[in-house]
Amino acid sequence: MVYFVNIDFFIQLKCTALHILNRECLYMSNLNDEVNKANEVSSMNNDSWGAIDPNYVARMRLQNRFKTGIDVAKYTAAIMRKDMDTFDSDSSAYTQSLGCWHGFIGQQKMISIKKHFGTNDRKYLYLSGWMIAALRSDFGPLPDQSMHEKTSVASLIAELYTFLRQADARELGGLFRELDSAEGDAKNEVQTKIDNFQTHVVPIIADIDAGFGNAEATYLMAKQMIEAGACCIQIENQVSDEKQCGHQDGKVTVPHSDFLAKINAVRYAFLELGVDDGVIVARTDSLGAGLTKQIAVTREKGDLGDQYNSFLDVEEVSDDNMNHGDVLINQDGKLVRPKRLPSNLYRFKDGTGEARCILDSITSLQNGADLIWIETEKPHIDQIGGMMAEIKKVVPNAKLVYNNSPSFNWTLNFRQQVFDKWETEGKDLSAYERSELMNESYDATELSLEADNKIKTFQADAAREAGIFHHLITLPTYHTAALSTDNLAKDYFGEEGMLGYVAGVQRKEIRQGIACVKHQNMAGADMGDDHKEYFAGEAALKASGEDNTMNQF
């Protein structure tokens, strides 16, 4: 998401219509303007301020563009709204993110994206409640059941943006040092890089689970998340105190009125804090949720409560077969008994999951949500597209956020999808055993290569055919951390010894241009030296002298 360092940090230009928003509409000025502004500070010409250099003040201001989380939320909400508008006319312009469980992980992701692609347009952050529960709770690793501390969510959002802002300051600091040492045309080239600098700060889709309590609790938590920088909050329709991971059993949903109250709570939080174009993602877990905690209130046939209750698994009763303590409702003029479990939960009829997802999604979009999320049990475009087709009959510009989940066995799922398609087409499948397609022996086969190609194009295909605006992977960096650590441990503690680290990590970092190979620089040592010079002049004791081992890189 581009911002120019020719930025006025003090005058915010309000865009009056979302469709004209662009990434340069928030602030406008340049480095010289910032120097002039610093010179205009009333005390700048006082003798007692003789050691304060306006040029350094300007640089520090440019390195610290976003003063608060609200600044971040406003800036990124405008970007996300613009991306949504673009997607409406061009489905190839879908957006993507990877889940990040630490600020450092998010920072390195965005640095890598800028390095490889030259831009981070349409590349977001995702904050997963699962990873907070598993990795960030003071209780230690927890399952994804909303048992972690509420405040840990906003804390991670703030941490992510602290690291992204540091990435800005670090890169600009390097450019400022280049500017000081360059001459002639080279100096102009560096100045151009500074004036066209692209921030690492991008939108975040942040998981608030089922709201962590009642609507008031949801509102309070949403406020914290927005104040930390969140421009987009994702909320699901499960019962808060019975919440389960979307890919586990035992999920329990709430009637629409309860869920809509929480959507309203999030919207009020955005508006109270001045993030008028904040984005809400309404997630439905109904496809895999066979239970409800409540029977919906209904006042007339066909209203929203009646539609919710129509999916209940019921049996007709009479005076002869009524039992003490039964809960009974009048449904289409018949007295029926919803099937109640010992847990006091009520069961939905089998096979109603997709219909409930469609109703959930339409209802949410008609009542304040901006995007929808349908949690599925497999990555199948026909299934997703079928539900979206029904939703779009009512809400034509409906857009989906989709979880490309590590909980799916992608290899097996797509190999079986190809197998099933070929079987329908009458192809010879004698060389394949459907239940064994995960076996490595199939890796080089025609079927597996076709499956891999479908995995490769899944996101583009699903954006085009199923209206998926945003593709995310919830837990990728959880798995990459485990995989890379396993590989290093195997080699370093094994026969490779120190070569396990050198060949498996450091040499690759150097040759791939991984910024972290200069870990002192990444941690802020060079920025610290800059500041020491600003503060103490020639007396500054710097860390970046000849004896600094980072010079080896």
Side-chain angles (χ1 to χ4, degrees):
M1 311 314 164
V2 177
Y3 82 74
F4 294 103
V5 174
N6 47 350
I7 299 271
D8 182 349
F9 292 98
F10 308 100
I11 301 175
Q12 183 171 357
L13 303 178
K14 179 69 175 178
C15 294
T16 57
L18 292 177
H19 69 275
I20 63 168
L21 278 172
N22 59 70
R23 289 167 170 77
E24 294 80 34
C25 77
L26 297 181
Y27 307 91
M28 296 298 291
S29 85
N30 57 41
L31 180 56
N32 289 333
D33 287 342
E34 287 301 329
V35 174
N36 293 335
K37 288 179 183 296
N39 272 313
E40 290 170 2
V41 174
S42 59
S43 298
M44 190 61 73
N45 295 318
N46 290 352
D47 290 342
S48 63
W49 281 28
I52 305 301
D53 188 331
N55 291 284
Y56 295 158
V57 173
R59 291 182 179 190
M60 294 173 80
R61 286 177 171 177
L62 292 176
Q63 286 175 295
N64 186 28
R65 173 189 178 183
F66 301 100
K67 305 299 188 290
T68 69
I70 297 296
D71 290 341
V72 171
K74 288 181 176 180
Y75 171 75
T76 52
I79 290 171
M80 196 165 178
R81 291 286 182 175
K82 179 63 165 57
D83 289 343
M84 290 162 64
D85 288 345
T86 300
F87 180 81
D88 283 338
S89 57
D90 180 7
S91 65
S92 69
Y94 58 89
T95 57
Q96 299 169 293
S97 66
L98 298 174
C100 299
W101 54 271
H102 193 279
F104 176 75
I105 300 296
Q107 178 196 61
Q108 295 307 301
K109 183 186 88 168
M110 297 317 302
I111 289 173
S112 294
I113 288 171
K114 283 189 66 177
K115 179 185 74 173
H116 290 296
F117 307 108
T119 178
N120 52 34
D121 286 355
R122 304 198 306 276
K123 308 296 189 292
Y124 299 174
L125 297 172
Y126 180 67
L127 183 148
S128 161
W130 192 101
M131 285 206 288
I132 291 180
L135 298 170
R136 298 300 299 255
S137 173
D138 287 343
F139 292 104
L142 294 172
D144 184 19
Q145 296 173 4
S146 290
M147 295 192 293
H148 54 277
E149 305 86 339
K150 295 180 182 181
T151 52
S152 60
V153 182
S155 177
L156 179 52
I157 295 169
E159 178 181 292
L160 283 161
Y161 282 122
T162 295
F163 273 77
L164 294 187
R165 290 159 64 192
Q166 193 261 11
D168 282 358
R170 171 188 162 275
E171 187 173 338
L172 282 167
L175 290 171
F176 292 146
R177 289 189 290 276
E178 286 185 40
L179 186 68
D180 291 340
S181 61
E183 297 179 358
D185 291 340
K187 200 175 194 72
N188 292 333
E189 291 176 6
V190 176
Q191 183 65 56
T192 298
K193 290 180 182 179
I194 293 171
D195 289 342
N196 292 281
F197 178 77
Q198 184 181 46
T199 180
H200 297 82
V201 170
V202 296
I204 188 169
I205 298 176
D207 185 0
I208 198 173
D209 284 5
F212 283 84
N214 60 20
E216 174 69 4
T218 301
Y219 154 77
L220 293 171
M221 187 169 173
K223 275 186 65 177
Q224 272 201 345
M225 294 167 69
I226 298 162
E227 288 167 341
C231 71
C232 177
I233 293 178
Q234 162 217 327
I235 186 165
E236 62 199 52
N237 69 336
Q238 290 194 51
V239 175
S240 185
D241 60 355
E242 302 280 359
K243 185 257 189 300
Q244 296 280 4
C245 171
H247 293 104
Q248 291 186 313
D249 204 358
K251 293 183 290 296
V252 184
T253 64
V254 297
H256 297 102
S257 59
D258 292 31
F259 188 52
L260 296 181
K262 292 186 177 183
I263 288 177
N264 292 340
V266 175
R267 181 62 67 202
Y268 272 112
F270 274 126
L271 294 171
E272 177 184 339
L273 296 172
V275 186
D276 298 349
D277 49 359
V279 179
I280 298 175
V281 179
R283 169 175 148 177
T284 172
D285 282 276
S286 290
L287 190 62
L291 303 170
T292 180
K293 192 168 188 176
Q294 299 162 260
I295 297 172
V297 173
T298 175
R299 293 181 172 84
E300 60 183 46
K301 185 173 173 56
D303 66 13
L304 201 51
D306 187 51
Q307 291 181 68
Y308 187 82
N309 292 342
S310 71
F311 295 114
L312 292 171
D313 190 1
V314 299
E315 53 190 354
E316 191 172 349
V317 298
S318 65
D319 292 341
D320 296 332
N321 62 0
M322 276 193 292
N323 301 314
H324 177 74
D326 275 350
V327 173
L328 306 175
I329 59 175
N330 180 356
Q331 199 170 73
D332 293 325
K334 298 177 181 179
L335 198 61
V336 298
R337 175 172 50 217
K339 293 183 180 178
R340 185 166 54 168
L341 304 181
S343 59
N344 205 31
L345 301 173
Y346 298 93
R347 189 188 304 278
F348 288 115
K349 287 181 283 191
D350 291 339
T352 62
E354 290 193 6
R356 284 185 282 127
C357 285
I358 293 165
L359 178 61
D360 294 342
S361 299
I362 291 171
T363 301
S364 294
L365 290 170
Q366 290 178 329
N367 289 274
D370 303 292
L371 299 167
I372 52 176
W373 171 322
I374 300 174
E375 194 77 323
T376 66
E377 82 287 5
K378 59 182 180 294
H380 198 293
I381 293 176
D382 289 344
Q383 178 196 40
I384 306 162
M387 288 185 281
M388 282 298 289
E390 294 301 313
I391 294 165
K392 286 188 172 188
K393 289 178 182 178
V394 182
V395 186
N397 68 337
K399 289 176 282 293
L400 190 66
V401 172
Y402 189 68
N403 179 8
N404 294 238
S405 176
S407 294
F408 305 145
N409 185 331
W410 285 77
T411 300
L412 183 60
N413 265 287
F414 275 82
R415 287 180 181 182
Q416 289 182 341
Q417 287 180 36
V418 173
F419 182 97
D420 294 342
K421 183 175 182 292
W422 284 5
E423 186 176 49
T424 301
E425 294 172 352
K427 283 198 173 185
D428 180 11
L429 296 170
S430 58
Y432 306 100
E433 181 64 41
R434 190 180 188 277
S435 62
E436 299 297 323
L437 287 174
M438 187 64 197
N439 195 294
E440 190 175 351
S441 63
Y442 288 117
D443 284 358
T445 64
E446 182 186 3
L447 183 148
S448 294
L449 295 175
E450 174 68 11
D452 282 353
N453 187 58
K454 288 186 176 296
I455 294 171
K456 181 179 180 179
T457 63
F458 173 79
Q459 293 192 345
D461 294 343
R464 181 182 64 254
E465 298 172 25
I468 296 179
F469 161 74
H470 186 79
H471 284 281
L472 62 92
I473 308 178
T474 43
L475 323 175
T477 53
Y478 175 90
H479 292 282
T480 55
L483 178 62
S484 61
T485 302
D486 179 80
N487 289 333
L488 176 59
K490 177 185 66 176
D491 292 340
Y492 176 72
F493 293 107
E495 294 181 0
E496 296 299 306
M498 190 58 195
L499 184 62
Y501 172 75
V502 173
V505 180
Q506 188 181 76
R507 194 177 294 164
K508 290 181 179 179
E509 285 183 301
I510 295 170
R511 292 174 178 174
Q512 293 178 32
I514 304 297
C516 270
V517 73
K518 297 185 178 183
H519 47 258
Q520 306 286 13
N521 170 273
M522 184 59 64
D526 290 337
M527 285 191 295
D529 280 355
D530 292 340
H531 292 163
K532 290 174 185 177
E533 184 175 342
Y534 297 172
F535 305 155
E538 293 182 356
L541 183 62
K542 296 184 179 182
S544 56
E546 291 183 2
D547 292 334
N548 189 317
T549 59
M550 285 293 98
N551 295 328
Q552 298 175 24
F553 300 91

